[in-house]
Amino acid sequence: MYVSARTDYAVRAMLTIAAGHPQLVKAAALAAAQDIPLSFLQGILLDLRRAGLLHSHRGVDGGYSLARPAEEITVGDVVRSVGGALTMVRGLPTGTTTYHGVATGLKDVWLAVEQAIEGVVNHRTLAELTVSAVSTN
């Protein structure tokens, strides 16, 4: 699994918003807190909003809030909202790969890798990560 800057920034932004709940968090504050370029972050926040993970609130007192409780949002939800599939082979979804001859069994390996990654990211919530961050500080 390759974790792009976009994906990393999205998860970090969501953790920052979850940690600040119930207060609204402004994009500029998110960018500063996590050292993310603001213009890049704005596109990420739009994707997260479109995916139903964030609410945006307009106005002077506006900002961003989670659309669901942090206990219900997994790292996998965030990753898929900004990056699509968790794993890909040659730029295609893992399940669509085809092999011939001695490489036929390779598809099963890539699918097992995908399942292992899903097992981690689909079972770690924002709430778990924000609690563990507080306890280690």
Side-chain angles (χ1 to χ4, degrees), residues 42-103:
Q42 289 171 328
I44 293 168
L45 294 171
L46 180 62
D47 286 345
L48 293 167
R49 191 174 59 76
R50 286 180 179 157
L53 299 179
L54 285 181
H55 288 303
S56 62
H57 306 268
R58 295 179 184 243
V60 174
D61 294 327
Y64 290 89
S65 64
L66 298 179
R68 304 191 313 251
E71 296 82 9
E72 295 177 13
I73 301 174
T74 67
V75 172
D77 294 332
V78 178
V79 170
R80 281 185 291 278
S81 72
V82 296
L86 292 176
T87 61
M88 298 180 91
V89 176
R90 298 183 318 268
L92 299 171
T94 305
T96 65
T97 59
T98 56
Y99 295 97
H100 307 285
V102 296

Side-chain angles (χ1 to χ4, degrees), residues 24-36:
L24 298 178
V25 181
K26 295 185 181 302
L30 280 173
Q34 290 297 321
D35 196 26
I36 301 171

Side-chain angles (χ1 to χ4, degrees), residues 11-46:
V11 175
R12 289 166 43 198
M14 290 292 287
L15 288 170
T16 303
I17 294 168
H21 183 75
Q23 286 81 25
L24 298 178
V25 181
K26 295 185 181 302
L30 280 173
Q34 290 297 321
D35 196 26
I36 301 171
L38 180 58
S39 59
F40 194 36
L41 179 61
Q42 289 171 328
I44 293 168
L45 294 171
L46 180 62

